[in-house]
Amino acid sequence: MNQAYYNNTSIGSTKKKSKKLTIVLSIVGIIALGIATLLVLFGISENKEKVWAGGQIQIMGKNIQLPCDVNTFESTLNTKIKSDDIYDGIVELNTTTGSKLMFKVDIENNVVTGIMMDIYHSDADEYDRIMPANERNIASKVVFPGNVTSNTNIEDVKNIYKTTPLNIYYNYFSETIEEMDDEHDGLISSSYGYHDDEWQIKVHTEKNIRTNVEEITEIDYWYLGE
């Protein structure tokens, strides 16, 4: 073979190697850029205030900082926590309308670490009953971080509690609990949860499949500890 052939072969091989190197470097560059972007976004998300992680709640207009000792909790609300076989305690507060505001509390080592506002429908099991659905306005007297109550629109809740641009503290679960037929509207139960190492808040909803209306049925707010 002549010298030109070898020269062309060498040039072709060099071009192929150069092309492969360019592709590899491009891929590496894209991956590096992606990692850098994620780190930046993660950092932005980390630095955004976690509204739900402050521990401040308001009950019947009284401000409470969780966690707090039982005596402080009871004296602030001028009430006594009732013991319960299933839960750590039930709180009942009289309102100006003659109704009762009722919610559950979690107690550890004589410290109130969390509360649960649970709104039930008339056909709910006795185990689940705390606040009846027709007392939703009374239930809204428990105000969670970000001024979230049982009356807050769930889309507003997600905007208030989310971290951006990566919602790294968020988890979601949903299931159909009642199929729609001629007699039933159909219900979808969903849970929107946010937590870090110290705090957790979960907002539970029920969505009417027929009307597409989604309402908050329960809010759980807990101090998980350091």
Side-chain angles (χ1 to χ4, degrees):
M1 296 184 182
N2 57 33
Q3 186 65 36
Y5 173 79
Y6 287 110
N7 289 340
N8 290 336
T9 301
S10 177
I11 293 171
S13 177
T14 301
K15 287 183 177 179
K16 287 181 180 179
K17 288 180 180 180
S18 178
K19 187 176 181 180
K20 288 181 179 179
L21 181 60
T22 300
I23 293 172
V24 169
L25 290 176
S26 297
I27 293 173
V28 171
I30 292 171
I31 293 174
L33 179 61
I35 293 174
T37 302
L38 287 175
L39 289 175
V40 170
L41 293 178
F42 184 85
I44 293 173
S45 184
E46 276 281 284
N47 292 329
K48 183 179 183 298
E49 181 185 6
K50 294 173 287 188
V51 176
W52 41 268
Q56 299 88 7
I57 58 173
Q58 186 184 94
I59 301 174
M60 297 287 288
K62 302 294 181 62
N63 294 320
I64 295 176
Q65 176 70 45
L66 294 178
C68 68
D69 64 79
V70 170
N71 289 336
T72 299
F73 191 88
E74 290 180 331
S75 61
T76 301
L77 296 177
N78 190 27
T79 190
K80 287 289 183 182
I81 297 173
K82 298 181 179 181
S83 61
D84 186 90
D85 293 334
I86 300 173
Y87 304 102
D88 286 323
I90 301 291
V91 178
E92 294 186 11
L93 299 174
N94 294 321
T95 67
T96 55
T97 61
S99 299
K100 286 185 181 295
L101 170 64
M102 297 179 65
F103 55 90
K104 306 169 189 174
V105 293
D106 179 67
I107 302 172
E108 295 182 14
N109 299 321
N110 205 41
V111 172
V112 177
T113 59
I115 70 172
M116 177 190 296
M117 173 51 64
D118 185 6
I119 302 172
Y120 69 86
H121 298 291
S122 58
D123 59 349
D125 293 335
E126 189 68 29
Y127 177 89
D128 294 324
R129 293 188 176 187
I130 294 295
M131 282 295 297
N134 60 0
E135 300 282 19
R136 178 173 291 275
N137 287 332
I138 301 298
S140 69
K141 296 297 183 180
V142 178
V143 183
F144 295 87
N147 292 320
V148 170
T149 74
S150 58
N151 282 338
T152 306
N153 182 281
I154 189 59
E155 294 303 320
D156 292 335
V157 173
K158 289 188 283 186
N159 286 328
I160 292 169
Y161 287 162
K162 73 180 180 180
T163 54
T164 56
L166 294 178
N167 208 357
I168 60 176
Y169 299 103
Y170 172 74
N171 60 75
Y172 170 74
F173 174 78
S174 182
E175 64 177 342
T176 300
I177 58 175
E178 184 178 281
E179 297 289 349
M180 186 171 68
D181 55 31
D182 292 339
E183 297 182 0
H184 302 91
D185 287 343
L187 293 174
I188 297 175
S189 176
S190 298
S191 170
Y192 306 87
Y194 304 81
H195 69 89
D196 58 14
D197 293 336
E198 292 187 344
W199 291 96
Q200 171 177 284
I201 190 163
K202 285 189 175 181
V203 182
H204 305 267
T205 67
E206 283 187 2
K207 181 177 182 180
N208 186 308
I209 298 175
R210 197 183 303 276
T211 64
N212 204 37
V213 173
E214 186 173 18
E215 289 187 306
I216 293 174
T217 57
E218 182 179 326
I219 304 178
D220 309 334
Y221 188 43
W222 312 105
Y223 176 69
L224 302 175
E226 298 179 359

